[in-house]
């Protein structure tokens, strides 16, 4: 069948133009996401997501294991690693703000098999973390009462968290923002409380360096410099868990208003 010149022009002009509902960068359809997250939502999601459970439950143990300077070195090391990774991730997220985040970037810039593996590893990691967070919530409540079994608190929080994740993105972002603000206020309150207690508000009076008896580093598992080094390594695990979660922001790129302006902040 012959094709006239006019049909050739139309076919040539439409060649390579993707449908309106198709994501240009990933090549996948992405019509179900609603770009409803604003700058204030992402700011609190970033802060609340980064400060993990390890800050409340693990810092004291890490301090006893590694000593004050050992804990400081562990946090500096993990902080530098997280900063480097997030700087690279921020550039890719601002350039290609799509759903799937680092999984999509691994598939695009390296190989689809790497993106597939990262997606399953991320799912498996947060499946375990979700169970850990539920248990941690129950353990914190048991500081006040043992009359209710911890399984009851785990069930309550499991139902609540699952229900929140079924909400539309705008409502989920509002809940996340207010919960994160409560966490930030609580952390600031703990800092002020600790300073006041150390300054002598409690029954023991001024504390200062009263309980600092083992020096800047604590020995762990063995004696000598090897024990101090192992203490720092043990604190690295706590530090990595404490700062877990800054990748939340990149995951929200596909649902953010004006992501190229908001996400770098």
């Amino acid at each position: 069948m012959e094709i006239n010149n006019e049909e050739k022009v139309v076919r040539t002009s439409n060649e390579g133009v993707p449908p309106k509902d198709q994501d240009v960068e990933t090549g996948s359809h992405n019509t179900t996401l609603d770009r409803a997250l604003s700058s204030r939502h992402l700011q609190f999601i970033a802060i609340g997501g980064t400060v993990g459970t390890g800050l409340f439950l693990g810092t004291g143990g890490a301090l006893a294991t590694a000593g004050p300077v050992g804990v400081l070195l562990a946090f500096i090391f993990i902080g530098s690693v997280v900063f480097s990774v997030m700087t690279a991730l921020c550039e890719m997220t601002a350039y290609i703000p799509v759903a799937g985040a680092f999984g999509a970037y691994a598939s695009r810039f390296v190989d689809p098999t790497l993106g597939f593996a990262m997606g399953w590893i991320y799912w498996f990691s947060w499946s375990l973390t979700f169970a850990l967070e539920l248990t941690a919530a129950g353990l914190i409540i048991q500081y006040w009462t043992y009359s209710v079994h911890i399984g009851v608190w785990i069930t309550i929080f499991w139902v609540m968290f699952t229900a929140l994740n079924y909400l539309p993105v705008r409502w989920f972002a509002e809940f996340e923002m207010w919960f994160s603000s409560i966490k930030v206020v609580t952390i600031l309150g703990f800092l002020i409380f600790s300073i006041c207690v150390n300054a002598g508000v409690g029954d023991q009076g001024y504390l200062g360096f009263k309980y600092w008896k083992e020096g800047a580093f604590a020995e762990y598992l063995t004696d000598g410099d090897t024990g101090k080094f192992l203490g720092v390594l043990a604190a690295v695990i706590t530090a990595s868990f404490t700062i877990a979660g800054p990748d939340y922001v990149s995951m929200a790129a596909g649902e953010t208003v004006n992501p190229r302006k908001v996400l770098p902040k």
Side-chain angles (χ1 to χ4, degrees):
M1 183 177 66
E2 295 184 359
I3 301 176
N4 57 37
N5 293 332
E6 184 177 354
E7 289 177 340
K8 290 182 179 179
V9 171
V10 172
R11 291 188 180 185
T12 304
S13 61
N14 291 332
E15 195 174 68
V17 178
K20 293 182 179 180
D21 62 343
Q22 186 173 347
D23 194 310
V24 178
E25 300 297 341
T26 61
S28 60
H29 292 274
N30 188 17
T31 59
T32 59
L33 297 181
D34 180 19
R35 293 190 177 273
L37 297 179
S38 63
S39 177
R40 64 186 178 90
H41 292 148
L42 284 187
Q43 295 289 347
F44 280 94
I45 289 175
I47 297 173
T50 302
V51 182
T53 310
L55 178 66
F56 299 101
L57 296 181
T59 307
L63 188 62
T65 300
V69 177
V71 172
L72 180 62
L73 291 177
F75 272 86
I76 290 175
F77 172 73
I78 293 298
S80 62
V81 173
V82 172
F83 176 78
S84 302
V85 172
M86 289 306 300
T87 301
L89 184 59
C90 177
E91 292 185 5
M92 290 187 289
T93 305
Y95 174 55
I96 310 175
V98 297
F102 43 82
Y105 304 144
S107 298
R108 175 182 173 86
F109 294 112
V110 184
D111 192 88
T113 56
L114 179 61
F116 175 83
M118 289 183 64
W120 276 105
I121 291 173
Y122 194 70
W123 173 86
F124 184 72
S125 171
W126 281 108
S127 296
L128 297 178
T129 305
F130 181 53
L132 186 146
E133 296 282 355
L134 293 176
T135 305
L139 290 175
I140 291 176
I141 293 180
Q142 282 190 336
Y143 279 115
W144 288 276
T145 177
Y146 282 94
S147 59
V148 181
H149 193 272
I150 188 174
V152 176
W153 299 116
I154 291 176
T155 304
I156 292 174
F157 285 115
W158 176 75
V159 172
M160 183 177 66
F161 292 157
T162 304
L164 289 176
N165 279 273
Y166 276 101
L167 294 176
V169 62
R170 186 180 301 275
W171 287 101
F172 174 81
E174 289 293 334
F175 278 108
E176 183 75 17
M177 187 195 71
W178 286 109
F179 287 152
S180 298
S181 63
I182 293 174
K183 180 187 290 187
V184 172
V185 171
T186 303
I187 293 173
L188 293 177
F190 275 135
L191 292 175
I192 296 174
F193 174 77
S194 300
I195 294 173
C196 293
V197 170
N198 187 70
V201 173
D203 297 334
Q204 301 184 45
Y206 175 70
L207 297 179
F209 297 94
K210 179 179 179 181
Y211 297 101
W212 189 358
K213 300 179 181 179
E214 296 187 6
F217 295 90
E219 298 176 350
Y220 182 63
L221 295 181
T222 185
D223 299 331
D225 294 337
T226 302
K228 296 178 181 179
F229 177 71
L230 292 177
V232 175
L233 290 183
V236 166
I237 299 175
T238 303
S240 61
F241 187 73
T242 302
I243 315 178
D247 50 278
Y248 287 166
V249 180
S250 65
M251 297 293 291
E255 299 175 278
T256 304
V257 178
N258 197 4
R260 287 189 171 90
K261 180 180 179 181
V262 172
L263 285 170
K265 295 181 180 180

